[in-house]
Amino acid sequence: LCSQFCANINEDNSGCDFKEEELVGLPADFIGSLDRDSDGKFHVGLRAPHLLPVSQYATRQETRKALLEAKAKQCQQINGPILERVLSLRQECAELLGYKNHAEYMLAPKMAARPGSVRDFHRGILEACGGVRAGDLDALGKIKSQLYETPEKMVNPWDTAYLSRLHKEDLGVDENVIRQYFPMEHVISTVLDIYEELLCLSFRKLDNFIAWHPSVEAYAVVERSSDGVESTRGHFFLDLYPREGKYAHQCVYPLRPSYVRACGEQVTPACAIIGNLTKGVDGKPSLMRMREVETFFHEFGHVMHCVCSQVDYVPFAWAWSAVPWPGGVQQDFLEVPSMMLENFVYQPTLLKRLSKHHSTAEELPDDIIQKIVQARHVLSGYHYSRMIFLGEYDIIVHSGPAPYSYEGQEGLSAQQLYAIMCKHLTGVACIEGTFPAASWFHLCMGYDAGYFGYLWSEVFAADLFAKFVVEDGDGVKEGRINEELGKRYRDTILTPCASEDGYTMLRNFLDREPSAAAFREARGMA
């Protein structure tokens, strides 16, 4: 059932057809990349390379609403019943195994250990960001009121990305300007260079290899010992562009685990980035959005976690729930290493290295870099309230059979629960009649009762990254590449993989108990 749920999303090619005037506000190169039918209408799909630009730049509210509503209803008719059946079967299986519910069963081996710990964690972050969220929605509401010359300040789902972009532009962050400095080939090459330096490794592109698609690239990861002897740590593949039937999200998929054969030989791991980055058209370079740069840096962190793992047994090797073998780190630790590493994207020195204007070869100007850094956590209150909403929804639907109850409301279906929780926790209502969970991969690809792990991991990742932050003579703090610290990170966080539990690895690197202080300080939370 879960495989069918995910396949239905991957194979769905639905979207919306728009006249050119309905796409006002969108960049010309984006419109030029769209398929056009015999009536002259442009087809906009529901995957990120189409969905994000339209939700951020389409001037007409009707256009944004039509596409966001289509996305919120994606696979609803076919996947809604499948999800309900999956939830019912999970509850039944948990009870047969002696657990009260599926959430208790799934959390038992994780860092959080029990549903109550997750809900306490969510409550603490929500209380810290609650006032920030209210301020965020008020700021977006004022922009909407001024933009449309109306006293109406209610923010709708199709408004959030558009108004957020305008808010950041008011702060000097113009995504259309910034992406001119991020041609894909330069970004990918530089990301690989940065990881080589940080983790004391070398990546060598391979020419003779077998892959599943002509666009895939392959690399060997090499380590040089103190006496000059080279050894291969593993391999990775880059499969970066969308195509029909391909997984529609972003992920890293392990292809071969690390383990020691009976003869004593260490088997090196291999993995692949499965991406859906925007591709260049008509000979023009692919220009990455800041979010895409951050996403690639993050996903490559998973690659390094996989390739750097060196363990004796397959269950301790890097893996996650989408693969057909058991193993991998505790799921609520899985995102910690890559989330720590993605913080480097927002450090001025490295941001300058990552940038190179596609026509002038100039780096990002210092003033734009500072604005990007300062705006990183703008609207974080709304952002984290949405993460908490999804995490809480995931826990509740896996904490007992339907019908569900929430905040005094009884007899709720999974769809009704989603709508009520969304409005209550984020302050923004769902589009009426939609059930976005029907196209939410995580519920059926192994993150059941585990979505909270993203925010949980972000808190610990901030604590780890703080070790790389240095303060100059003027009191300015910045994360810097430190090869000695990077190798320590590789040896204590990446290499052990699942041979040690998450808390042990955190303590080994930090030399103290982990804390949420760095996370809260960076985001202006109480």
Side-chain angles (χ1 to χ4, degrees):
L1 287 173
C2 287
S3 295
Q4 187 60 56
F5 181 97
C6 294
N8 290 339
I9 304 170
N10 288 330
E11 295 169 7
D12 179 68
N13 292 316
S14 62
C16 296
D17 297 319
F18 295 110
K19 297 177 182 178
E20 188 165 6
E21 58 266 29
E22 293 176 304
L23 299 177
V24 172
L26 286 153
D29 60 341
F30 171 78
I31 295 176
S33 71
L34 300 174
D35 292 332
R36 199 170 190 178
D37 64 20
S38 58
D39 294 327
K41 289 186 176 181
F42 295 90
H43 182 73
V44 180
L46 303 180
R47 299 191 182 193
H50 285 187
L51 189 67
L52 292 178
V54 172
S55 62
Q56 290 178 330
Y57 288 96
T59 303
R60 294 183 56 160
Q61 294 187 78
E62 296 82 3
T63 299
R64 300 196 306 273
K65 181 180 179 181
L67 190 65
L68 268 292
E69 184 170 357
K71 176 61 181 174
K73 288 183 175 179
Q74 185 182 21
C75 298
Q76 185 168 320
Q77 295 303 313
I78 188 170
N79 275 357
I82 290 177
L83 179 59
E84 291 178 354
R85 181 60 177 155
V86 165
L87 295 173
S88 176
L89 288 173
R90 285 173 176 166
Q91 175 67 24
E92 184 179 335
C93 290
E95 291 176 1
L96 288 173
L97 292 170
Y99 292 89
K100 184 179 179 181
N101 52 57
H102 185 68
E104 284 193 357
Y105 164 70
M106 290 297 291
L107 284 162
K110 297 179 183 178
M111 295 175 71
R114 57 186 183 84
S117 297
V118 175
R119 304 200 71 177
D120 288 344
F121 167 73
H122 282 156
R123 192 175 298 111
I125 300 296
L126 191 64
E127 289 174 356
C129 73
V132 182
R133 187 207 74 176
D136 291 347
L137 293 179
D138 184 61
L140 296 182
K142 288 178 179 177
I143 294 173
K144 181 176 181 178
S145 179
Q146 295 169 0
L147 185 65
Y148 298 109
E149 298 180 346
T150 171
E152 175 61 62
K153 292 184 179 181
M154 186 178 73
V155 177
N156 297 304
W158 56 88
D159 294 325
T160 54
Y162 184 73
L163 297 175
S164 296
R165 194 257 309 170
L166 293 177
H167 184 50
K168 289 186 177 181
E169 285 184 4
D170 287 343
L171 300 175
V173 179
D174 188 332
E175 188 69 50
N176 267 336
V177 172
I178 292 169
R179 65 193 292 260
Q180 307 303 314
Y181 291 86
F182 291 132
M184 183 179 292
E185 289 188 4
H186 173 76
V187 170
I188 292 173
S189 174
T190 305
V191 169
L192 268 58
D193 289 345
I194 291 170
Y195 271 97
E196 284 181 316
E197 294 174 28
L198 179 64
L199 301 178
C200 304
L201 299 168
S202 295
F203 306 145
R204 295 180 181 168
K205 190 173 182 179
L206 304 179
D207 295 321
N208 298 315
F209 64 94
I210 298 174
W212 51 95
H213 193 269
S215 66
V216 174
E217 297 179 354
Y219 292 80
V221 179
V222 177
E223 179 181 13
R224 185 189 296 271
S225 65
S226 57
D227 58 3
V229 177
E230 291 187 346
S231 61
T232 300
R233 289 293 296 258
H235 297 82
F236 65 86
F237 295 81
L238 303 182
D239 182 1
L240 301 179
Y241 306 112
R243 56 181 178 270
E244 188 171 344
K246 182 182 174 184
Y247 178 57
H249 199 48
Q250 315 283 338
C251 77
V252 173
Y253 204 94
L255 303 175
R256 182 177 64 203
S258 169
Y259 67 98
V260 176
R261 298 185 192 274
C263 64
E265 176 192 5
Q266 178 76 52
V267 175
T268 58
C271 62
I273 285 186
I274 307 301
N276 282 278
L277 297 175
T278 306
K279 198 171 185 178
V281 293
D282 298 330
K284 297 178 181 178
S286 174
L287 302 177
M288 298 176 73
R289 301 178 186 281
M290 187 66 205
R291 179 59 180 164
E292 289 179 315
V293 175
E294 180 182 357
T295 297
F296 182 77
F297 207 100
H298 171 98
E299 295 300 333
F300 200 79
H302 285 308
V303 169
M304 290 295 95
H305 197 183
C306 175
V307 172
C308 290
S309 63
Q310 200 167 66
V311 296
D312 293 340
Y313 304 104
V314 170
F316 296 149
W318 191 88
W320 60 293
S321 49
V323 301
W325 65 78
V329 297
Q330 292 162 297
Q331 192 181 47
D332 43 0
F333 187 81
L334 179 65
E335 299 293 333
V336 171
S338 52
M339 283 188 168
M340 190 293 285
L341 291 161
E342 79 179 44
N343 282 291
F344 280 105
V345 172
Y346 288 91
Q347 308 313 302
T349 302
L350 294 183
L351 195 50
K352 187 173 282 290
R353 279 182 63 181
L354 285 164
S355 63
K356 180 181 179 181
H357 196 281
H358 69 94
S359 61
T360 67
E362 294 177 334
E363 298 171 332
L364 269 170
D366 290 339
D367 62 326
I368 293 181
I369 287 176
Q370 289 303 317
K371 289 171 182 175
I372 292 173
V373 173
Q374 291 167 4
R376 180 185 181 186
H377 296 304
V378 166
L379 304 175
S380 63
Y382 172 71
H383 169 71
Y384 290 118
S385 72
R386 182 159 180 81
M387 290 187 72
I388 291 168
F389 148 58
L390 293 172
E392 280 286 283
Y393 177 80
D394 178 29
I395 291 294
I396 289 176
V397 294
H398 287 113
S399 291
Y404 307 100
S405 60
Y406 183 74
E407 293 293 308
Q409 300 187 63
E410 307 286 342
L412 303 174
S413 67
Q415 181 174 347
Q416 291 170 327
L417 177 68
Y418 189 98
I420 291 170
M421 290 186 68
C422 182
K423 174 63 175 177
H424 178 251
L425 292 174
T426 73
V428 177
C430 290
I431 299 174
E432 187 174 354
T434 65
F435 187 32
S439 60
W440 184 18
F441 279 109
H442 294 77
L443 292 177
C444 287
M445 60 177 284
Y447 273 77
D448 36 310
Y451 191 81
F452 78 93
Y454 284 101
L455 184 52
W456 178 278
S457 294
E458 191 172 346
V459 170
F460 291 123
D463 201 20
L464 293 173
F465 183 72
K467 296 281 283 187
F468 290 88
V469 175
V470 296
E471 186 173 339
D472 64 19
D474 297 322
V476 178
K477 295 181 179 180
E478 181 179 358
R480 298 280 178 84
I481 289 179
N482 179 316
E483 291 185 7
E484 181 180 351
L485 196 56
K487 188 174 185 305
R488 174 179 168 84
Y489 183 78
R490 190 186 82 190
D491 293 343
T492 59
I493 299 293
L494 305 183
T495 298
C497 206
S499 64
E500 296 178 357
D501 68 86
Y503 280 120
T504 296
M505 287 186 278
L506 288 170
R507 294 187 195 104
N508 287 344
F509 181 76
L510 296 168
D511 288 326
R512 58 168 172 78
E513 291 296 318
S515 165
F519 172 84
R520 295 190 179 208
E521 179 184 351
R523 291 150 184 81
M525 295 181 182

